[in-house]
Structure formats: C-alpha cells, structure tokens
Amino acid sequence: MSDFSEELKGPVTDDEVETSVLTGAGMHFPWLQTYIETVAIGGKRKKDFAQTTSACLSFIQEALLKHQWQQAAEYMYSYFQTLEDSDSYKRQAAPEIIWKLGSEILFYHPKSNMETFNTFADRMKNIGVMNYLKISLQHALYLLHHGMLKDAKRNLSEAETWRHGENTSSRGILINLIQAYKGLLQYYTWSKKKMELSKLDKDDYAYNAVAQDVFNHSWKTSANISALIKIPGVWDPFVKSYVEMLEFYGDRDGAQEVLTNYAYDEKFPSNPNAHIYLYNFLKRQKAPRSKMISVLKILYQIVPSHKLMLEFHTLLRKSEKEEHRKLGLEVLFGVLDFAGCTKNITAWKYLAKYLKKTLMGNHLVWVQDEWNSRKNWWPSFHFSYFWAKSDWKEDTALACEKAFVAGLLLGKGCRYFRYILKQDHQILGKKIKRMKRSVKKYSIVNPRL
C-alpha cells in the first residue's frame, strides 16, 4: 500500500486521469477508464463527465458491498474527478462522499496502514473545509480504534480550535461532540487515576497529589461533556461517564437530575438505556420501590423482553397494590412472548410459581385476560410435542417448569404436559407428581374453577 500512500500525498496529473487508473498496489490499468466510460454511455465512445462519475460511483458501491477493497480502491482514483464537476452542488458534496468511501476502503484494505489513512484524512480536511470538523472527529475515532489516544486527543484539540465559515447550529453540535469525545478521553485518564488513588492509603505521601490530579481531570471532563448532554440526542457513553464522576464526588442529586432529564425530557428521543441507567442509579441509592417501579414501567413499554423485566416482576409481586400484582403476571407473559426468551428458565420458574399463586388467590380473571390473546399461538410456539421432546433432552428442569405452566393453561390433556409426565426421572419424580396434583386442582380448564 506504499504506492497508494505516495499517490495520496502527491497530485494526480490530467494525463494519468485520462489514460489510466492507479491501483493501491501501484499498478496502472489503461482499460479501467475506458471501461467506465463505455458502460456509462451504453457502449458509445462519447465521453460524458457526469455519466462517467455516476457509473464509477456505482462500481465503488458494488465493490464495497462485495468487500472487494482493491477493486474499490482502483475505482476511487477515477472518482476523484468529481472535485472538478461543473455542477456546483455535486462539487460541494464530493469531498464528503470521497471521504466516506475512501475511509471505508482504507479501513478494510489489507495493504492499508496508519500513515496512508492519516495522509488521506489530512488531505480531505483541507479539500473540504466545510467538512473539516466532521472528518476530524471521524479521524479521531479511527485513531482511538487503533489505541492511539494521544494522537486522537491532539486531533480533537486542533478541531476544537478550528475556525472557518459561519457559526451554524449543526457546526455548534459538532463542536460540542468534539469537546465531549475529548472529555471521554479525559474520563479514561480520570478512571486510571481513580484506580491508582484507590490503591493508596490516605496517609501515603502521594495520596494528596494523586487526589488533586483526579479532581483536575474530573473538572476538565465535566466541562467538556456537560454541554453536549443537554442537547436532545442519544449520548449514552457521555451520560454514564458524567454520572459516575458526580457520584464519586457525592453529588447524588446532580447525578439523579442528569439521569432524570435524560430519561424523561420529551425533547430527547426514546431511549431504553436512559431508563436502565436511571433504574440502576435508584437501585444503588436504595430508592423506594415505587420509584423503581415507575421507571421500569416505561422500560417495559419500550422493551418488554428486557432482562430487567424479571426484576420488574419481583418488585410488582412484592407490592401491596393489586394493580401492580396483576401487572406482574402480564410482565411474565410479555417476556415469554419473544423467541429469544423461550429458553429462559428463570422466566418459566417465575411464571409457574406466580400462576399457581394467582389461581390460589382466586384471580382466575387475571390469568384469562392474559391467556385469551395467546391461546391460539402459544400452544404451538411453546407447548408442542416437538418442544416437549427437545426441552426434555436439553434441560429437564426447564421442561418441568414449562410442563407445569402448560398444564395450568391447557389442562392435563396438553401433549407437552403428558409427555413430561410419562418420563422416568429419579430426581424429578416427586416434583412431577406434585405438578400433576396441582394441575388437576388449579388448571384453568378445570370446570371446578
């Protein structure tokens, strides 16, 4: 890829663009430009700038989709001519398109290297000054990906102080984003310092110096991140970092305010993680159960299959409010509606136990409300003969829990229930007998209920 790097550093002459295309391996393909032109004009030899570049872009996109990085790199050399397009709109859009395509190619090309990517990024920043901030940010992320933290921080600092053109709202957001990523790097340093501090005794002579260093880094991080997280958007890593520092310094009210705004501000997009962060914070602070229920209730509406729904069920089950206990049943059914949760033995254990408790408490209507909308598809989805054999073979404990639920909902005639009942298992024998008695007594298809 060294020839590719040299070509990026030096200008391409008109003759080179006319007659050939230079590949990433330093090879010329005289046929490539002709082929592009031929396809673009339907076999005619007439050159047409717009058609040629349009066809070239299509070839690049196809090569990218097929992960043909060398071929995509070859086409890119021809596509550079869009920077001289007579159409001002296309000419202005060209730098960003070239950057996106070129950076993708260089990221995955087997012969690419750090020097090549950096040279390309610097060149594109200067060609498309309107995209300077965006390219600088993406360049910094590339450097971070390769563990070059100091270079990434320097890149972000240069972008932060860059001034050109009008101060638009989109530019302001980019500046905030650049500052926030710089803050994340400072947070990384802060975390290491905090770890170093935790290993020192307060009487150690170095403790005060390290503590002051930790404080200085937290102040810089807070200043860089706080502005961004006030702008509507999804800022998960920045919010988590900021809240961790607020908690570390004992500002729990400030941390809760940040998380509450992030979760409930209507200007922000719906974000399950915002409610997860708030719930975990309240849990750490041993907040009242009612507060945690209110947070998880919203998460349930967004992601009813989330793993925290089992904790939500536990909170609802322990509540003194009947509406909460009824919702606790709904939540369990909701979790098991999803294919990814069908093997979740904890969910089946909870449902088996709670179904029996609900029926013993004379709340048959609660169960019927949930079952009526599922009785046409749950039997084949969960309780078929095939699943009975498969579950018993893979996990006998899971099969027993599911069989109990199947018996309560479908009665002793359910094929899943009957198959598990017939199995000879020394350890689970007593449990299966108890299950049989409970199904006979509490099944919702039992006329006595």
Side-chain angles (χ1 to χ4, degrees), residues 60-253:
I60 294 169
Q61 291 170 333
E62 184 178 356
L64 289 176
L65 286 172
K66 294 179 180 179
H67 293 183
Q68 297 170 342
W69 312 116
Q70 175 64 23
Q71 193 170 357
E74 293 169 6
Y75 289 135
M76 273 301 297
Y77 280 100
S78 184
Y79 191 69
F80 284 144
Q81 63 185 309
T82 53
L83 293 168
E84 299 175 1
D85 201 306
S86 57
D87 186 321
S88 60
Y89 176 78
K90 291 182 179 178
R91 191 169 61 249
Q92 289 175 3
E96 183 174 3
I97 295 173
I98 290 173
W99 162 251
K100 288 182 178 179
L101 295 173
S103 59
E104 184 80 1
I105 293 167
L106 290 174
F107 187 84
Y108 290 105
H109 199 293
K111 293 184 180 179
S112 180
N113 55 46
M114 188 71 67
E115 182 186 0
T116 302
F117 193 97
N118 290 342
T119 301
F120 177 66
D122 291 337
R123 189 167 182 179
M124 293 312 301
K125 289 175 195 176
N126 294 323
I127 290 174
V129 289
M130 299 302 293
N131 298 303
Y132 183 92
L133 294 176
K134 191 181 295 184
I135 293 174
S136 294
L137 178 57
Q138 292 171 359
H139 186 198
L141 294 177
Y142 173 83
L143 294 170
L144 283 174
H145 176 77
H146 287 275
M148 302 179 69
L149 273 63
K150 290 183 179 179
D151 290 333
K153 188 175 181 179
R154 183 175 63 252
N155 198 291
L156 292 170
S157 296
E158 290 173 359
E160 185 182 12
T161 57
W162 186 80
R163 297 292 180 269
H164 184 87
E166 299 178 2
N167 288 322
T168 60
S169 58
S170 59
R171 177 197 171 117
I173 293 174
L174 273 173
I175 289 289
N176 285 331
L177 197 54
I178 285 167
Q179 291 172 338
Y181 270 104
K182 187 178 174 183
L184 271 187
L185 289 176
Q186 291 162 340
Y187 162 78
Y188 177 75
T189 305
W190 176 82
S191 294
K192 291 199 298 183
K193 293 289 183 183
K194 185 183 73 167
M195 184 65 68
E196 183 183 338
L197 185 66
S198 66
K199 295 177 181 179
L200 294 175
D201 189 276
K202 288 189 177 182
D203 296 329
D204 195 303
Y205 73 96
Y207 184 87
N208 290 334
V210 175
Q212 184 61 45
D213 203 12
V214 170
F215 178 78
N216 291 338
H217 277 91
S218 69
W219 181 84
K220 292 176 183 177
T221 305
S222 300
N224 281 318
I225 292 178
S226 59
L228 178 72
I229 62 177
K230 293 176 183 176
I231 302 171
V234 178
W235 312 121
D236 292 354
F238 306 101
V239 169
K240 286 183 69 177
S241 304
Y242 190 47
V243 167
E244 183 184 339
M245 287 188 296
L246 290 174
E247 282 192 86
F248 180 77
Y249 290 106
D251 189 2
R252 295 179 180 82
D253 291 340

Side-chain angles (χ1 to χ4, degrees), residues 51-67:
Q51 288 181 323
T52 301
T53 53
S54 177
C56 189
L57 179 59
S58 297
F59 293 145
I60 294 169
Q61 291 170 333
E62 184 178 356
L64 289 176
L65 286 172
K66 294 179 180 179
H67 293 183

Side-chain angles (χ1 to χ4, degrees), residues 145-412:
H145 176 77
H146 287 275
M148 302 179 69
L149 273 63
K150 290 183 179 179
D151 290 333
K153 188 175 181 179
R154 183 175 63 252
N155 198 291
L156 292 170
S157 296
E158 290 173 359
E160 185 182 12
T161 57
W162 186 80
R163 297 292 180 269
H164 184 87
E166 299 178 2
N167 288 322
T168 60
S169 58
S170 59
R171 177 197 171 117
I173 293 174
L174 273 173
I175 289 289
N176 285 331
L177 197 54
I178 285 167
Q179 291 172 338
Y181 270 104
K182 187 178 174 183
L184 271 187
L185 289 176
Q186 291 162 340
Y187 162 78
Y188 177 75
T189 305
W190 176 82
S191 294
K192 291 199 298 183
K193 293 289 183 183
K194 185 183 73 167
M195 184 65 68
E196 183 183 338
L197 185 66
S198 66
K199 295 177 181 179
L200 294 175
D201 189 276
K202 288 189 177 182
D203 296 329
D204 195 303
Y205 73 96
Y207 184 87
N208 290 334
V210 175
Q212 184 61 45
D213 203 12
V214 170
F215 178 78
N216 291 338
H217 277 91
S218 69
W219 181 84
K220 292 176 183 177
T221 305
S222 300
N224 281 318
I225 292 178
S226 59
L228 178 72
I229 62 177
K230 293 176 183 176
I231 302 171
V234 178
W235 312 121
D236 292 354
F238 306 101
V239 169
K240 286 183 69 177
S241 304
Y242 190 47
V243 167
E244 183 184 339
M245 287 188 296
L246 290 174
E247 282 192 86
F248 180 77
Y249 290 106
D251 189 2
R252 295 179 180 82
D253 291 340
Q256 185 168 344
E257 183 181 357
V258 168
L259 291 171
T260 302
N261 290 338
Y262 192 51
Y264 294 119
D265 193 325
E266 294 180 354
K267 295 177 183 177
F268 282 72
S270 178
N271 179 8
N273 288 338
H275 302 282
I276 294 168
Y277 299 155
L278 179 56
Y279 169 74
N280 287 332
F281 172 80
L282 293 173
K283 189 177 177 181
R284 288 195 299 272
Q285 302 303 317
K286 302 187 185 305
R289 186 187 301 138
S290 58
K291 280 190 176 183
M292 293 192 284
I293 285 176
S294 65
V295 174
L296 289 180
K297 193 172 184 179
I298 297 176
L299 180 62
Y300 170 62
Q301 293 167 355
I302 303 172
V303 191
S305 61
H306 195 277
K307 62 182 181 180
L308 282 177
M309 291 304 101
L310 296 181
E311 287 190 32
F312 185 35
H313 162 77
T314 302
L315 291 171
L316 292 167
R317 188 181 69 212
K318 293 178 179 178
S319 174
E320 296 179 358
K321 294 183 178 180
E322 189 172 279
E323 62 181 282
H324 284 168
R325 296 197 300 275
K326 184 177 186 297
L327 180 59
L329 183 64
E330 177 188 321
V331 167
L332 290 178
F333 272 100
V335 168
L336 292 167
D337 279 344
F338 291 84
C341 301
T342 56
K343 302 289 186 180
N344 190 326
I345 189 171
T346 304
W348 285 110
K349 279 182 178 179
Y350 282 8
L351 182 58
K353 186 176 181 179
Y354 202 58
L355 266 176
K356 181 179 178 181
K357 182 179 180 180
T358 302
L359 292 168
M360 288 175 65
N362 296 319
H363 293 298
L364 173 63
V365 176
W366 293 6
V367 179
Q368 289 175 331
D369 285 345
E370 298 305 321
W371 183 239
N372 285 338
S373 62
R374 295 174 172 88
K375 62 184 179 183
N376 292 328
W377 63 279
W378 260 45
S380 58
F381 186 61
H382 288 305
F383 306 130
S384 67
Y385 183 73
F386 167 81
W387 283 122
K389 291 174 64 179
S390 175
D391 290 342
W392 182 260
K393 184 178 180 180
E394 292 179 11
D395 189 340
T396 53
L398 171 67
C400 283
E401 299 299 338
K402 284 183 67 175
F404 189 28
V405 173
L408 291 173
L409 296 174
L410 293 167
K412 61 183 181 180

